């Protein structure tokens, strides 16, 4: 896809990796709909930085715990501002380190609603609005953990495994008009509440012996969006951590 003049919706793009992807797409010529939940000031700041790069930006708040309503609200905002959406990136997520024994129904519901059910209905809205004959792209942010069994982060892992399956199924369902791919990051940013020692510890156990950066996820994103012969793929950007399962 030639990115110049395209329009992208990125969930969770006021902060962290979502924000980095938004700025990187703006630099590539893309206009952006910045979705956020609580980070309003950061969303305004991200929009301002997109405009500094010469692209248009709008922002919309929606709680992905209510997936069908959120998908409608996000696409209504994007379409009323831009009239079309060419690219959907599902990045917003929750990440709780719970096992079977300490997981509650609320933990299960929040992970499945935010990490899996919301991308499902956002993909549905995205496909519905794409005019016949136009091409589009969906990129889902997953995790190498989605492809490996593990007792920790259980609901998270299951939600991301579902998102990998959704990626592969929609690559078939929406072809040839829409390419659907995923990026599986490794240790990029510490989760809220953790500091850099969280990443350093993981990095020491990874084959490449370092943490990654949001810029490396942006590089993978641009590769996928510019590649017209790739669909149904999960691109792992994890310094090899997926090979050792984080166990060194
Ligand atoms: N960070 C890493 O090293 C890493 C590693 C593996 C995979 N990943 C995946 O890469 C993606 C980006 O990761 P990240 O660490 O930058 O972000 P993150 O911390 O996983 O997600 C934060 C984003 O999710 C949004 N969000 C959370 N709950 C929401 C809700 N109820 N409704 C709407 N939005 C909600 C937040 O919005 P507000 O701030 O506006 O409330 C924020 O923008 C995620 O899918 C993550 O699972 C990241």
């Amino acid at each position: 896809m030639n990115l110049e003049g395209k329009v992208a919706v990125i969930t969770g793009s006021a902060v962290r990796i979502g924000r980095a992807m938004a700025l990187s797409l703006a630099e590539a010529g893309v206009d952006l709909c910045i979705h956020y939940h609580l980070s309003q000031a950061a969303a305004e700041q991200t929009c301002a930085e997109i405009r500094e790069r010469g692209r248009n930006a709008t922002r919309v708040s929606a709680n992905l715990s209510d997936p069908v309503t959120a998908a409608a609200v996000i696409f209504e905002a994007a379409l009323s501002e831009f009239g079309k959406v060419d690219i959907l990136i599902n990045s917003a997520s929750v990440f709780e380190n719970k096992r079977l024994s300490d997981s509650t129904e609320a933990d299960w519901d929040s992970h499945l609603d935010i990490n899996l059910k919301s991308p499902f209905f956002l993909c549905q809205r995205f496909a519905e609005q794409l005019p016949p004959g136009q091409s589009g792209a969906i990129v889902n942010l997953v995790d190498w953990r989605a492809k490996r069994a593990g007792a920790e982060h259980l609901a998270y892992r299951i939600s991301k495994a579902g998102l990998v399956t959704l990626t592969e199924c929609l690559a078939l369902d929406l072809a040839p008009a829409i390419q659907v791919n995923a990026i599986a990051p490794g240790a990029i940013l510490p989760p809220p509440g953790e500091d850099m020692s969280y990443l350093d510890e993981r990095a020491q156990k990874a084959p490449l012996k370092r943490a990654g950066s949001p810029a490396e996820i942006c590089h993978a994103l641009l590769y996928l969006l510019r590649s017209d012969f790739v669909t149904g793929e999960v691109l792992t950007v994890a310094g090899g951590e997926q090979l050792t399962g984080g166990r060194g």
Side-chain angles (χ1 to χ4, degrees):
M1 178 186 283
N2 174 0
L3 295 177
E4 188 70 33
K6 297 292 190 294
V7 175
V9 169
I10 310 182
T11 65
S13 51
V15 295
R16 296 169 62 83
I17 294 172
R19 174 181 187 278
M21 292 191 293
L23 296 180
S24 141
L25 287 191
E27 276 160 22
V30 177
D31 294 329
L32 284 130
C33 178
I34 301 300
H35 159 264
Y36 64 102
H37 180 215
L38 301 175
S39 299
Q40 182 175 328
E44 283 168 8
Q45 177 64 27
T46 302
C47 287
E49 290 183 40
I50 290 165
R51 292 186 195 110
E52 280 167 18
R53 287 161 172 77
R55 302 310 311 184
N56 292 325
T58 191
R59 63 180 167 82
V60 58
S61 175
N63 184 354
L64 298 179
S65 294
D66 185 358
V68 175
T69 304
V73 165
I74 292 168
F75 271 88
E76 194 181 302
L79 292 173
S80 75
E81 181 72 19
F82 298 114
K84 64 160 188 172
V85 178
D86 306 287
I87 298 163
L88 168 66
I89 301 170
N90 286 303
S91 181
S93 84
V94 279
F95 174 72
E96 294 280 341
N97 188 4
K98 297 223 176 153
R99 301 165 74 105
L100 182 67
S101 53
D102 58 351
S103 292
T104 63
E105 185 179 9
D107 296 327
W108 173 264
D109 286 344
S110 71
H111 282 86
L112 273 287
D113 284 347
I114 295 165
N115 297 2
L116 180 58
K117 193 171 172 183
S118 286
F120 182 99
F121 285 103
L122 283 156
C123 289
Q124 187 184 62
R125 287 270 166 180
F126 176 69
E128 278 168 7
Q129 61 81 45
L130 202 71
Q134 297 264 335
S135 57
I138 296 171
V139 178
N140 295 318
L141 273 285
V142 296
D143 192 306
W144 62 261
R145 292 180 183 87
K147 292 278 199 181
R148 282 187 75 115
E152 295 176 342
H153 304 100
L154 187 57
Y156 171 81
R157 209 177 274 264
I158 292 166
S159 69
K160 293 293 192 180
L163 192 51
V164 169
T165 302
L166 182 68
T167 301
E168 294 170 349
C169 292
L170 293 189
L172 286 173
D173 187 21
L174 302 178
I178 302 175
Q179 291 167 258
V180 189
N181 290 294
I183 298 170
I188 305 291
L189 292 176
E194 300 278 358
D195 60 20
M196 289 307 285
S197 64
Y198 171 93
L199 286 191
D200 294 342
E201 195 182 314
R202 279 180 61 185
Q204 284 319 306
K205 294 180 189 161
L208 295 188
K209 301 287 178 222
R210 68 170 177 88
S213 68
E216 285 165 312
I217 301 302
C218 297
H219 189 64
L221 175 68
L222 290 172
Y223 164 75
L224 288 174
L225 293 177
R226 288 178 169 143
S227 302
D228 292 337
F229 201 50
V230 178
T231 197
E233 192 57 42
V234 179
L235 179 48
T236 303
V237 184
E241 199 180 4
Q242 78 281 8
L243 301 172
T244 59
R247 291 186 186 91

